Amino acid sequence: MSRPAVSIQSVSKRWTPEGRAPVLALDNLSFDVAPGEFIVLLGPSGCGKSTLLYMIAGLEEVSGGTIACDGEPVTEPSAERGLIFQEASLFPWLTIADNVAFGLAVQHVQPVKRREIAVETLKRVGLGDMLDKKPDELSGGMRQRAACARALAMRPKVLMMDEPFAALDVQTRARMQDFLLQIWRDSGASILLVTHSIDEAISLADRVVVFTSRPGRVKTIVPIDLPRPRESRDPRYHAYRDLFTELLADEVDRAFAEQEAV
Amino acid sequence: MTADAGQTRLGEAGAGRPAPKIKPPLLSPALRRRLSAIGWGLISLSLFAGLWEALWFFGMLNPLLLPPPHLFLSDIPGTLKFFDRSNRIGSVASGVGVWPLLFTMGSTTLRVLVGLTLGFTCGVAVGAAIHYVKLLRNLLLPTILLLAPISPVAWLPVAIFVFGIGDVPAIFLVFITVFFAIVLSTGAQIESVPKNYIHVARIMGASQRQTFWKVILPAILPSLFMTLRLNLFAAWMVVLIAETVGVGTGLGQITSMARSTFNAKLVFFTMAIIGLLGFLSDFALRQVQNKMLWWIAPNQGAAR
Ligand SMILES: Nc1ncnc2c1ncn2[C@@H]1O[C@H](COP(=O)(O)OP(=O)(O)OP(=O)(O)O)[C@@H](O)[C@H]1O
Ligand SMILES: [Mg+2]
């Protein structure tokens, strides 16, 4: 077997907010992501999913354990590990093409080459005719695709997405999921995607990592054995949905019970 | 039953009637908006002037104290001679022409411009330095917080003690007017740059310097420009004050002379010029803002 793209071993994270008691956000988390695998992270609010992505990205330090990508321990951010946020966070002062070329500019790639890569990447995400538009001239879905293009232009090995479609309407969301699967196939990158939507998890994932409520641990990992494209009419799809609903309900109940006990 | 217009049945979606032709308007909307703005501006001004003239006409105003526009604008050659360069308070020079007036306007405008530019750049530099270097913050911030609320006018004696009579005290006063505001605003704005912008820069491998020039500066520039514009009128006020006392040339000096020689016509003429210049400089700054901050829609302002 090949080396895991991301290897998370006994990782924990303790936040120490100023003037308040420390919070254990993640506790002894372990799992591996295979190269080219599509992982969805599912869990109750506040269980540390975003925190985990930030640590894999190298934006936050782990409090314990190790995270390695391609065998190398993560010590600082790298464009090989792209991160996409719920809000597209494109720079409003750059055109779409310049936004996509931002990482290349930072790394001193020649302007002509930069433009070439940006154009090509934007074509891949279906924004070939939006090159010189301003970000706020685009719809939410287009902005999110441009943000994908910005990450993809750096040829990442791992693409992380923190609730990327949560702010989009239902129709756009469905289109974006198809779009993402296509991107995933032709980039060959591993994807780690956080979502609150059980349907999104079932439609996209190779494996779904279900978290417990805070402190976040791995409750269980569920492989989705359904051929793509996945049909929501499939009875097995329903079985998965029931399974995840039950798993999450447990955790949400537990979280509420704890809050009342405090 | 006939199908109602506007109702779509299954299977016939998109069976469109030809869209009604829309006549292109005679003037483009932008031009129309501009013309209407100018129109209302003229109406507003004429109303004001008309009221003033009417009060004079009915003998309710003393034309020596409050001469209406047609009086202080009529004798322009007579008024212009007060602007002669060689002119000093109390003396009336013989040379008459429009150049001395333009020179006077130019020197006042230049002082404002230089003061604003210096204040803005130094303000951003000091504000950023204070934000990033902890030692500087600890050393400078308390003093800056103490000095910031002092009215620029209170600096006038200091400026004259230190720089003597000349251009510098006037420029210094303008500088002070924007400097502290920009320093404090820079710090606050850097603080509020969206965290995701910084995250993106870090992931892409940007150095601290690249992050500042390529991300933080463009992110805070709109608000800084807003601060600059808010302080523009204050800058015009202080430059006039400085000129009445510490410089000896410029529009402020003319007003001061007009006051001491009881020349009401000259007072109002100069006031009109000052008003016009203030308006034009705000307009110019807005144009610069639209050019430099091209990503912000013009009517949206920079109020973000
Ligand atoms: N910068 C921070 N400083 C202190 N505590 C933090 C910080 N970021 C997150 N936390 C805490 O860590 C815990 C996990 O937060 P995180 O944002 O990772 O959860 P999440 O699973 O992404 O939640 P959601 O689904 O609501 O986005 C929360 O209790 C949160 O309050
Ligand atoms: Mg989150």
Side-chain angles (χ1 to χ4, degrees), chain B residues 184-195:
Chain B
L184 295 179
S185 154
T186 302
Q189 292 305 323
I190 293 181
E191 209 65 67
S192 68
V193 171
K195 287 283 167 293

Side-chain angles (χ1 to χ4, degrees), chain A residues 54 58-59 77-79 81 83 85 89-93 95 102-103 105-108 134 150 154, chain B residues 196-207 210 214-216 218-219 294-297 300 304:
Chain A
Y54 279 60
L59 294 168
S78 147
R81 283 167 271 124
L83 179 55
F85 307 92
S89 68
L90 297 170
F91 300 133
W93 56 89
T95 61
F102 178 79
V106 160
Q107 302 189 356
H108 305 292
K134 296 191 273 185
R150 177 169 65 185
M154 307 305 286
Chain B
N196 282 356
Y197 289 180
I198 314 287
H199 289 327
V200 168
R202 285 186 63 197
I203 289 172
M204 297 303 184
S207 62
Q210 283 175 319
K214 285 177 185 276
V215 178
I216 295 187
W294 61 272
W295 66 92
I296 290 167
Q300 188 182 329
R304 269 204 291 175

Side-chain angles (χ1 to χ4, degrees), chain A residues 1-9 31-37 67-72 157-158 190 207:
Chain A
M1 239 201 84
S2 59
R3 206 159 44 186
V6 183
S7 164
I8 297 155
Q9 273 165 13
F31 66 92
D32 282 355
V33 181
E37 190 178 22
I67 296 178
C69 288
D70 247 351
E72 296 282 318
K157 295 200 177 115
V158 180
S190 312
R207 288 191 296 157

Side-chain angles (χ1 to χ4, degrees), chain A residues 103-115 117:
Chain A
L104 303 164
V106 160
Q107 302 189 356
H108 305 292
V109 175
Q110 291 308 309
V112 178
K113 182 78 185 152
R114 222 149 72 193
R115 175 88 186 177
I117 297 177

Side-chain angles (χ1 to χ4, degrees), chain A residues 49-50 162-163 194:
Chain A
K49 305 177 296 288
S50 302
D162 194 356
E163 303 184 42
V194 169

Side-chain angles (χ1 to χ4, degrees), chain A residues 107-173:
Chain A
Q107 302 189 356
H108 305 292
V109 175
Q110 291 308 309
V112 178
K113 182 78 185 152
R114 222 149 72 193
R115 175 88 186 177
E116 199 177 291
I117 297 177
V119 170
E120 187 239 332
T121 317
L122 278 167
K123 276 190 187 142
R124 263 168 69 198
V125 302
L127 294 178
D129 47 358
M130 297 288 164
L131 297 173
D132 297 314
K133 288 260 192 311
K134 296 191 273 185
D136 55 4
E137 289 175 290
L138 268 58
S139 71
M142 289 179 180
R143 278 205 289 271
Q144 222 34 331
R145 276 192 275 172
C148 282
R150 177 169 65 185
L152 288 172
M154 307 305 286
R155 305 195 161 283
K157 295 200 177 115
V158 180
L159 198 55
M160 287 170 281
M161 315 181 101
D162 194 356
E163 303 184 42
F165 310 140
L168 304 179
D169 63 84
V170 182
Q171 286 85 1
T172 314
R173 205 172 167 143

